[in-house]
Amino acid sequence: MWDDLWTDARLVTMQGAGLGVIEPGAIAVKDGVTAWLGPMSGLPATGAKRRHDAGGRFILPGFVDAHTHLVFAGERIGEFERQLGGATRRELAAEGGGILFTMRETRGASEDALVASATPRLRRLMSEGVTTIEIKSGYGLDLESELRMLRAARRLGRENGVRVVTSFLGAHVIPPEYTGRSADYLDHLARTVLPAAMAEGLVDICDGGIEGLAIREEDMLRLYRAAQAAGLPIKGHTDQYGDVGGGGTLARLGALSADHLEYVSEASVIDMAKAGTVAMLLPGSTLFLNEPRRPPLEWFRRHGVEMALATNCNPGSSPTLSPLLVLALGCSFFRMTPVEALRAYTVVAAKAAGLAGRIGELRPGLPADFVLWEIGQPAELCYWLGGAPPREVVQAGLPRP
């Protein structure tokens, strides 16, 4: 007997190349896993402990927010106001602002404080249908603070009933104590910090940056290779401010995703297509920073590179807590189609999070993570600039309170 059965639904399965809509359909859950789904006409006679009438509503897989910096201490609203008045990011950094401000605040925060400050942000994301979230370290930039951030991320998942994927981003920037010593800092990460984090089971992915800035590419590659030797997949921030060939470099390393990509070259896109590396697009940053450049969607389409979307929630360049806004920006700002955008936040985002074939779809055998929406058609989720909240979110078969 099934535990729960939802009937009279319009299922958006994300199977195949499109949305994979089944209507009218039904979805059955047993032990937190999707046990059966299909058209109402083929519904087996198997009984269910609880039946739910979906009332013709659309059911989509839960959103996968696969690029966030959710755990941090300290707001940067003052910097935001100063930027509106004409201050540049370079000027703010020279005054001790930017990422280094967040680093100082985060180093001074306890694990409990980090969890307490991140919980409202996480719950806001969950309220708009997020059932899986990737959370990066990278604001501690020393052994104890990086581990504290990752412990906080794991706790957030346990305490809020949401799936959390953690990414080690110790190579976010160079901390002050290693100024001018990129090689020494990356060696420290590879030999000390990353192994310590892995020993505690705190890391799922190794992230980093290839941007031609303070961290030299050859140093970043040593950390990536150490991570891969230890069995970790990798991803990276790259080609955001100029074409440094980072998309291609990450593809040749077999990275899960290359993220940002406003200035990526077509040669790098071709390499990404060959490797199956996802293009992670972050329109919240482009909007907030008022950047004129957009990622080259026509190249991604031409060469068959899959595209993902995420909030990139962080205090400096994307203080974004709305997946629905990101979907809308992906379409109106980056000119994605609604089908591309919805797949980008579910099945393709799952691939970028290292969970391809395990979440992001409605399919028997996968966790029953799905959302019931009060919409007339799936594209409506991309139409409104921050639309209505979902009717119901189901995580591992259980409706959220």
Side-chain angles (χ1 to χ4, degrees), residues 76-77 79-81 83-84 89 282-291 314-320 329 333:
R76 282 154 61 181
I77 298 171
E79 291 185 14
F80 167 63
E81 292 179 311
Q83 284 178 302
L84 293 176
R89 298 182 74 194
L282 306 167
S285 298
T286 307
L287 175 68
F288 189 78
L289 296 176
N290 197 27
E291 295 285 355
N314 75 75
S317 67
S318 187
T320 309
L329 291 175
F333 207 39

Side-chain angles (χ1 to χ4, degrees), residues 114-125:
L114 291 173
V115 170
S117 65
T119 295
R121 295 190 286 268
L122 175 60
R123 289 180 178 171
R124 174 67 182 272
L125 293 166

Side-chain angles (χ1 to χ4, degrees), residues 135-155:
I135 302 176
K136 305 178 191 298
S137 66
Y139 289 127
L141 306 179
D142 63 18
L143 174 61
E144 291 304 321
S145 302
E146 287 291 299
L147 295 181
R148 193 181 311 124
M149 288 187 69
L150 292 166
R151 292 183 194 120
R154 290 288 198 224
R155 271 184 59 184

Side-chain angles (χ1 to χ4, degrees), residues 67-69 134-141 146 150 166-173 185 189 194 203 205-209 220 223-224 235-237:
H67 182 127
T68 85
H69 304 254
E134 182 257 19
I135 302 176
K136 305 178 191 298
S137 66
Y139 289 127
L141 306 179
E146 287 291 299
L150 292 166
T166 55
S167 291
F168 174 72
L169 186 57
H172 197 178
V173 296
Y185 180 57
L189 295 180
L194 179 58
V203 186
I205 299 169
C206 181
D207 203 340
M220 189 67 240
L223 177 60
Y224 277 147
K235 61 169 54 182
H237 300 54

Side-chain angles (χ1 to χ4, degrees), residues 12-360:
V12 180
T13 67
M14 298 298 170
Q15 295 185 39
L19 297 181
V21 178
I22 299 173
E23 55 178 330
I27 182 168
V29 175
K30 176 70 174 177
D31 296 328
V33 174
T34 299
W36 183 89
L37 64 81
M40 288 287 292
S41 60
L43 183 63
T46 307
K49 298 175 185 176
R50 295 170 292 273
R51 293 177 66 99
H52 312 266
D53 184 358
R57 296 181 180 88
F58 278 97
I59 293 181
L60 275 75
F63 290 146
V64 181
D65 201 359
H67 182 127
T68 85
H69 304 254
L70 191 74
V71 172
F72 60 87
E75 303 288 352
R76 282 154 61 181
I77 298 171
E79 291 185 14
F80 167 63
E81 292 179 311
R82 288 199 57 204
Q83 284 178 302
L84 293 176
T88 67
R89 298 182 74 194
R90 184 182 297 274
E91 289 170 344
L92 294 171
E95 298 169 3
I99 290 175
L100 294 183
F101 169 83
T102 305
M103 179 204 73
R104 292 191 299 273
E105 295 292 309
T106 301
R107 285 183 175 183
S110 67
E111 180 182 322
D112 287 343
L114 291 173
V115 170
S117 65
T119 295
R121 295 190 286 268
L122 175 60
R123 289 180 178 171
R124 174 67 182 272
L125 293 166
M126 293 171 63
S127 75
E128 291 196 1
V130 169
T131 55
T132 299
I133 184 168
E134 182 257 19
I135 302 176
K136 305 178 191 298
S137 66
Y139 289 127
L141 306 179
D142 63 18
L143 174 61
E144 291 304 321
S145 302
E146 287 291 299
L147 295 181
R148 193 181 311 124
M149 288 187 69
L150 292 166
R151 292 183 194 120
R154 290 288 198 224
R155 271 184 59 184
L156 285 164
R158 293 192 302 269
E159 295 177 6
N160 293 278
V162 67
R163 184 180 298 101
V164 168
V165 175
T166 55
S167 291
F168 174 72
L169 186 57
H172 197 178
V173 296
I174 301 293
E177 56 268 31
Y178 281 91
T179 298
R181 296 191 294 137
S182 171
D184 291 344
Y185 180 57
L186 272 292
D187 285 344
H188 171 62
L189 295 180
R191 294 173 181 173
T192 302
V193 186
L194 179 58
M198 292 186 67
E200 286 193 40
L202 297 175
V203 186
D204 300 313
I205 299 169
C206 181
D207 203 340
I210 300 177
E211 288 290 7
L213 301 172
I215 296 176
R216 299 185 307 174
E217 182 174 320
E218 58 265 34
D219 299 330
M220 189 67 240
L221 293 182
R222 285 204 303 277
L223 177 60
Y224 277 147
R225 290 181 181 124
Q228 289 178 314
L232 285 180
I234 66 168
K235 61 169 54 182
H237 300 54
T238 193
D239 295 332
Q240 181 181 6
Y241 308 109
D243 174 24
V244 296
T249 299
L250 285 162
R252 290 188 291 275
L253 290 170
L256 295 171
S257 68
D259 302 23
H260 286 291
L261 299 175
E262 284 85 344
Y263 288 86
V264 69
S265 69
E266 187 169 12
S268 287
V269 171
I270 291 170
D271 286 339
M272 290 172 62
K274 292 176 182 176
T277 296
V278 170
M280 172 59 74
L281 309 182
L282 306 167
S285 298
T286 307
L287 175 68
F288 189 78
L289 296 176
N290 197 27
E291 295 285 355
R293 187 87 167 207
R294 307 285 186 273
L297 266 68
E298 66 277 10
W299 289 347
F300 299 146
R301 292 171 178 141
R302 181 185 309 159
H303 299 292
V305 172
E306 293 183 287
M307 295 177 282
L309 284 169
T311 58
N312 189 23
C313 174
N314 75 75
S317 67
S318 187
T320 309
L321 292 171
S322 174
L324 293 172
L325 176 60
V326 171
L327 283 171
L329 291 175
C331 293
S332 64
F333 207 39
F334 284 179
R335 313 311 292 176
M336 300 176 83
T337 69
V339 170
E340 288 173 334
L342 291 168
R343 288 181 60 83
Y345 231 125
T346 53
V347 62
V348 183
K351 184 177 179 180
L355 296 173
R358 296 162 62 187
I359 58 169

